[in-house]
Amino acid sequence: MARPPLPAAAPLAFLLLVLVLSAVAPAARCSTAGVGYVSRLLEIQDRERAPAAVQLAAARGALRRLLPSRYSSFEFRIISKDECGGEICFVITNHPSFARRGVPEILISGVTGVEVLAGLHWYLKYWCGSHISWDKTGGLQTHSMPKFGSLPRVHDAGVIVQRPIPWSYYQNAVSSSYSFAWWDWKRWEKEIDWMALQGINLPLAFTGQEAIWQKVFQQKFNISTSNLDDFFGGPAFLAWSRMGNLHGWGGPLPQSWLDQQLCLQKKILERMYELGMTPVLPAFSGNVPAALKDIFPSAKITRLGNWFSVESNPRWCCTYLLDATDPLFVEIGRAFIEQQLREYGRTGHIYNCDTFDENTPPIDEPAYISSLGAAIFEGMQSGDADAVWLMQGWLFSYDPFWRPPQMKALLHSVPLGKLVVLDLFAEVKPIWITSEQFYGVPYIWCMLHNFAGNIEMYGVLDAVASGPIEAYMSENSTMVGVGMSMEGIEQNPVVYDLMSEMAFQQRKVDVKTWIDLYSTRRYGQSVSSIKEAWNILHHTIYNCTDGLYDKNRDVIVAFPDADPSSISFSQLRYHRYGKPLFRGAVLNEKTGLTDEPHMWYSTSEVVRALELFLAGGDQLQSSDTYRYDLVDLTRQALAKFANELFLKVIEDYQRQDAYGVAFHSQKFLNLVEDMDTLLACHEGFLLGPWLESAKQLAQNKEQERQFEWNARTQITMWFDNSVEEASLLRDYGNKYWSGLLRDYYGPRAALYFKFLKESLAEGHDFRLKEWRREWVKLTNDWQNSRNLFPTQSVGHAFHTSQWLYDKYLRDPDTYDQ
């Protein structure tokens, strides 16, 4: 690949560019053994891809939406793989006719519409110093682009960037619920544009499948509407009803929802195909309505065990699984694939199925497991002769059932090249290493990164910058792609910027160099204090190496449910020095898990990074990307400070210091209120849009109440509860959103502190059952409430952040007096 020349007035950031882009110089090998295994599918997809004119029109539509004022500055072209050395690539060149007035300045060519837009993004990043992220995380930064007619020129020979491997995967099976649940076409169109700009060509496409299932089960298997009402989950819980974890929870689904979502799916698929993407459609996993066992009494249908229900309530617990070896399995699997083909008119031949995700097979005999895998694939292949099974590899990470013999039996049950595995959590727990490259089966190296859409600054940038390259370059590699498999989006944009770039990198990225340039691109100018801050964030927040899942359990958003006398800890200070772990371990009696905040960095260094961010505020206050990052960083520092305040409350209680409990608990509640004020300063941290987008999809008042209940429940109690026992999944979907802190998290904490103070004042033990009863009632009331929350930000992000830094973080010991 040719390196770009430096602009005449090149800032230091562009000097770093040469080092960053040297990583994409062609590597010694342009493919892997795994790519060879899926070569037939790749050939089919190339033949069936949308015509070049259609892809160009779709790419130009995305350009017009992204840069309407620069639309005429670029020309796009679709080229063959032969023009890319037989690989998939994009090419950036100076337009040959630019000397003439009114002619485009830059020509971007690509094998598909996705490559064209990825090439556009590459040019904007590395020649114009621009930045693209989700709107909620700051959106588009193009202030650094030169004026019209003065776009930077590339080297005369042009720039060619090849994909080392063919696929760039996107989404998790639960992203559809944690992030996409309430999206309309306008939001989906924006996301598909974002996908293409990031080079994503293999996205999940799960929207609307309930309407397909309705037609299959009603027309071919005599399942009634009422039985399907019990089968499907509510709008915010469809991901888990699809996986067979629950049924009926949050439902029933109105017919208008089913019709609306199917219509939306057709628009989504059409745009994806137009851009040259390969949407991954769902396949039958064995999850069936309860009524099927009555209609087919001889079928091998098993009722599964309880999945996190408090009382194993049959209204939504314990779903039914059809054994894959039963002949009915293939019949249903074929009917589902065929119905999708009838509705959509085409397919990319890749289907996702996760029969064993949190559903362990009843027998560990390898021969039986092999028969299950073969039957699952037969259900797909009988509906599409060219079908390929895409399977999440999460089960191999967490379930000890999957020892090497069982894992091999499943992976080898399907012809080689007909199964692709997502190494779902490869940035932390790569399975490709311990499984000898999935025992010869093609796989995609994925970054999981986020759970439940929680808001937490976190990442493993060094692993992201090196892990895919190590996997790709390893001996006998079966890697066929990279992917982003987060449970929720619209957070930590730096992580996704780097990860998406790895689809085009053939050598490890120097993160220090890359992040220096990132901070300049993100804000549109180079500010020394901001650069220094990002260097700190790189080796602290974004350098988590402890191997733990980053499930946000900060006290504010995941309040401990425990008798304060039973909370044990060995470190109670603010930990301004060193790298501590929070030691307020609280045992969940039901799950056996500890609700313990994750700490992997020195908080004093992060507070220093915040100081440096504030120091750059005079130059960057007008930047939306800066405002988002400033609010997020301030929130991160204050959240960890809140954890310490809570521990002080508990320490005071255990010393029977009533004054200390009153003093520190009020400080905690004041902090929650202040953080709500901070979060209100940016649209990326508001509760209102989540609730309003849910209500906007409703057709009547009854649906509006149902959809809002779904939206409120997912981010609080999540699943069922009893009068005295909260959901086992409470706070799993927690969010740092303005409105949620002030209206729910704060009152919940105040309730707990009330019981602490009563215990000391009246001389009795902490009344845990009474606390739980009132907490559950508070939560259930909140789930059913209808109060409104702002959908637009209010307040000044910089001034609010500076105020809170001065109040809480400049000298925490002074604040404690």
Side-chain angles (χ1 to χ4, degrees):
M1 178 192 128
R3 293 174 180 171
L6 297 177
L12 179 60
F14 282 91
L15 299 176
L16 300 173
L17 167 63
V18 174
L19 296 175
V20 174
L21 292 184
S22 67
V24 282
R29 186 179 67 210
C30 295
S31 188
T32 67
V35 174
Y37 299 150
V38 298
S39 59
R40 181 176 177 276
L41 174 63
L42 293 172
E43 291 170 2
I44 293 171
Q45 290 175 338
D46 285 345
R47 288 199 306 269
E48 296 181 352
R49 197 160 276 125
V54 172
Q55 295 186 60
L56 284 175
R60 292 202 68 80
L63 171 62
R64 189 183 293 278
R65 288 185 292 275
L66 181 74
L67 299 171
S69 65
R70 302 302 183 98
Y71 178 77
S72 61
S73 298
F74 298 92
E75 182 176 326
F76 293 161
R77 189 164 66 100
I78 299 294
I79 58 177
S80 69
K81 285 184 178 179
D82 292 340
E83 295 177 76
C84 295
E87 303 296 327
I88 303 171
C89 81
F90 60 77
V91 182
I92 308 171
T93 57
N94 301 316
H95 197 282
S97 304
F98 176 55
R100 298 204 311 270
R101 188 180 182 87
V103 172
E105 301 172 65
I106 299 295
L107 173 63
I108 300 177
S109 307
V111 171
T112 71
V114 169
E115 269 66 48
V116 167
L117 289 173
L120 171 67
H121 188 194
W122 200 270
Y123 175 79
L124 294 175
K125 287 172 76 168
Y126 290 123
W127 274 264
C128 300
S130 298
H131 175 75
I132 298 171
S133 67
W134 292 293
D135 284 355
K136 284 191 175 181
T137 60
L140 180 66
Q141 186 288 109
T142 56
H143 302 300
S144 58
M145 288 187 71
K147 64 181 181 180
F148 185 81
S150 304
L151 289 181
R153 313 288 281 166
V154 300
H155 192 279
D156 289 343
V159 178
I160 301 176
V161 178
Q162 293 179 337
R163 287 185 187 268
I165 41 184
W167 286 325
S168 180
Y169 169 83
Y170 184 59
Q171 295 181 39
N172 185 295
V174 301
S175 306
S176 56
S177 290
Y178 282 130
S179 290
F180 313 153
W182 313 115
W183 283 7
D184 56 12
W185 169 242
K186 182 179 179 181
R187 180 62 186 86
W188 263 111
E189 182 175 54
K190 187 175 286 287
E191 189 71 9
I192 296 170
D193 288 350
W194 181 90
M195 291 183 203
L197 289 160
Q198 309 300 326
I200 292 160
N201 58 12
L202 192 67
L204 285 186
F206 275 16
T207 302
Q209 64 179 279
E210 283 69 31
I212 304 291
W213 279 120
Q214 182 187 52
K215 295 180 181 183
V216 169
F217 281 129
Q218 286 185 341
Q219 296 172 9
K220 293 185 177 296
F221 300 99
N222 299 316
I223 302 294
S224 68
T225 298
S226 61
N227 286 324
L228 288 177
D229 286 346
D230 176 66
F231 179 57
F232 299 137
F237 301 97
L238 288 175
W240 300 277
S241 66
R242 292 166 181 169
M243 292 188 291
N245 302 135
L246 53 81
H247 66 95
W249 180 251
L253 290 177
Q255 186 62 46
S256 59
W257 171 275
L258 297 170
D259 297 340
Q260 177 191 71
Q261 292 294 296
L262 181 58
C263 180
L264 180 59
Q265 169 76 337
K266 290 179 180 180
K267 289 183 178 180
I268 292 168
L269 292 176
E270 182 179 18
R271 181 59 53 80
M272 288 178 173
Y273 286 131
E274 286 173 350
L275 285 166
M277 295 179 181
T278 299
V280 177
L281 296 175
F284 179 51
S285 65
N287 180 34
V288 295
L292 198 74
K293 69 183 186 304
D294 298 322
I295 298 172
F296 297 92
S298 61
K300 290 187 278 187
I301 298 176
T302 304
R303 190 172 192 186
L304 300 177
N306 182 22
W307 185 84
F308 293 111
S309 172
V310 166
E311 295 180 330
S312 300
N313 192 321
R315 290 175 59 194
W316 35 74
C317 145
C318 311
T319 57
Y320 290 87
L321 186 70
L322 174 63
D323 193 297
T325 61
D326 191 291
L328 187 60
F329 190 101
V330 173
E331 187 179 347
I332 296 176
R334 178 174 59 250
F336 184 55
I337 297 293
E338 290 175 345
Q339 186 64 39
Q340 290 185 93
L341 293 177
R342 277 192 292 273
E343 291 285 346
Y344 307 143
R346 62 173 299 179
T347 175
H349 307 293
I350 301 182
Y351 302 91
N352 172 253
C353 177
D354 295 304
T355 298
F356 309 113
D357 186 14
E358 304 193 22
N359 291 321
T360 302
I363 303 171
D364 68 356
E365 174 58 43
Y368 172 72
I369 293 171
S370 181
S371 68
L372 290 179
I376 292 167
F377 178 65
E378 186 182 352
M380 300 178 207
Q381 194 175 43
S382 63
D384 178 359
D386 296 316
V388 169
W389 178 5
L390 181 72
M391 178 178 70
Q392 290 191 148
W394 180 245
L395 68 168
F396 303 133
S397 298
Y398 80 90
D399 191 342
F401 172 92
W402 295 101
R403 303 179 300 280
Q406 288 72 29
M407 192 173 172
K408 288 179 184 177
L410 179 59
L411 295 176
H412 294 165
S413 65
V414 176
L416 187 60
K418 290 292 188 176
L419 173 66
V420 177
V421 183
L422 300 175
D423 197 353
L424 210 68
F425 200 18
E427 84 276 24
V428 174
K429 295 189 175 182
I431 303 299
W432 70 269
I433 296 175
T434 58
S435 65
E436 302 169 26
Q437 307 259 351
F438 287 91
Y439 302 112
V441 170
Y443 74 95
I444 295 175
W445 193 103
C446 291
M447 177 192 75
L448 178 53
H449 183 257
N450 177 270
F451 290 88
N454 293 162
I455 297 173
E456 169 93 293
M457 291 183 72
Y458 159 82
V460 195
L461 291 184
D462 289 348
V464 167
S466 60
I469 308 303
E470 291 170 356
Y472 164 73
M473 296 299 294
S474 63
E475 187 176 1
N476 300 318
S477 176
T478 56
M479 181 178 169
V480 294
V482 296
M484 296 184 283
S485 55
M486 64 284 122
E487 290 191 353
I489 64 168
E490 298 174 323
Q491 36 74 32
N492 289 288
V494 63
V495 176
Y496 297 89
D497 194 309
L498 178 59
M499 185 64 229
S500 64
E501 198 170 293
M502 298 310 295
F504 298 98
Q505 296 284 9
Q506 298 192 17
R507 294 180 182 168
K508 295 179 181 179
V509 173
D510 180 339
V511 180
K512 169 64 170 65
T513 301
W514 185 91
I515 212 159
D516 277 345
L517 184 54
Y518 172 84
S519 66
T520 300
R521 289 192 296 106
R522 177 109 170 117
Y523 312 120
Q525 58 181 297
S526 178
V527 179
S528 59
S529 66
I530 297 296
K531 258 186 191 176
E532 186 180 348
W534 270 105
N535 284 325
I536 293 172
L537 296 178
H538 167 212
H539 69 253
T540 53
I541 282 175
Y542 291 112
N543 186 37
C544 181
T545 58
D546 59 16
L548 299 178
Y549 298 5
D550 188 58
K551 186 73 197 68
N552 195 326
R553 306 307 297 175
D554 285 339
V555 172
I556 289 176
V557 296
F559 204 83
D561 174 26
D563 186 316
S565 299
S566 69
I567 298 176
S568 61
F569 39 83
S570 58
Q571 293 175 306
L572 288 175
R573 305 313 305 161
Y574 182 44
H575 304 307
R576 290 186 293 280
Y577 313 102
K579 283 187 177 180
L581 284 175
F582 181 101
R583 296 299 181 188
V586 182
L587 186 66
N588 183 307
E589 298 168 3
K590 281 277 187 179
T591 64
L593 303 174
T594 55
D595 294 335
E596 183 174 322
H598 184 198
M599 274 297 295
W600 63 97
Y601 58 83
S602 164
T603 54
S604 64
E605 289 189 79
V606 171
V607 171
R608 173 59 183 156
L610 175 58
E611 292 171 353
L612 291 165
F613 252 83
L614 290 167
D618 288 343
Q619 296 169 263
L620 298 178
Q621 287 184 50
S622 63
S623 164
D624 195 35
T625 48
Y626 169 77
R627 289 195 299 269
Y628 174 87
D629 290 346
L630 178 63
V631 170
D632 202 20
L633 181 55
T634 308
R635 176 210 55 76
Q636 182 82 10
L638 292 174
K640 304 313 171 187
F641 182 62
N643 292 340
E644 183 215 356
L645 276 178
F646 174 76
L647 287 177
K648 288 180 177 177
V649 173
I650 299 305
E651 182 182 35
D652 291 334
Y653 177 84
Q654 292 182 356
R655 292 191 310 220
Q656 297 189 350
D657 179 358
Y659 172 81
V661 168
F663 178 82
H664 287 118
S665 63
Q666 189 57 52
K667 295 291 186 184
F668 183 96
L669 296 176
N670 291 343
L671 176 56
V672 173
E673 288 277 324
D674 289 343
M675 287 182 68
D676 194 275
T677 300
L678 169 74
L679 297 171
C681 294
H682 195 280
E683 282 82 355
F685 302 97
L686 302 181
L687 170 62
W690 173 253
L691 300 183
E692 292 305 311
S693 61
K695 291 188 286 184
Q696 286 171 11
L697 294 183
Q699 301 292 310
N700 53 50
K701 292 297 181 182
E702 181 181 351
Q703 289 181 20
E704 191 175 287
R705 284 191 294 272
Q706 179 191 4
F707 294 179
E708 183 172 0
W709 182 92
N710 269 254
R712 287 171 175 263
T713 297
Q714 190 203 92
I715 59 177
T716 52
M717 197 62 86
W718 206 109
F719 206 11
D720 67 335
N721 58 263
S722 67
V723 173
E724 293 185 352
E725 186 171 357
S727 165
L728 301 178
L729 293 174
R730 65 187 182 277
D731 294 326
Y732 188 87
N734 67 67
K735 302 290 188 294
Y736 275 106
W737 282 344
S738 177
L740 192 57
L741 272 72
R742 189 183 305 272
D743 207 51
Y744 175 66
Y745 293 142
R748 177 176 61 178
L751 186 62
Y752 188 83
F753 295 149
K754 182 193 79 170
F755 277 91
L756 287 181
K757 289 183 278 190
E758 286 179 359
S759 170
L760 294 179
E762 299 171 12
H764 57 66
D765 292 339
F766 183 83
R767 291 175 174 166
L768 186 60
K769 284 187 178 181
E770 287 79 0
W771 137 251
R772 286 175 173 164
R773 186 182 295 112
E774 291 198 28
W775 163 36
V776 167
K777 183 180 184 303
L778 173 87
T779 307
N780 292 163
D781 288 346
W782 194 86
Q783 291 168 265
N784 288 295
S785 61
R786 304 296 309 280
N787 46 327
L788 301 176
F789 296 90
T791 57
Q792 300 292 323
S793 64
V794 293
H796 194 286
F798 177 78
H799 293 158
T800 304
S801 179
Q802 183 70 66
W803 164 58
L804 293 177
Y805 166 77
D806 291 338
K807 181 175 181 179
Y808 293 104
L809 301 171
R810 183 184 294 276
D811 188 350
D813 293 329
T814 300
Y815 172 77
D816 194 38
Q817 293 173 3

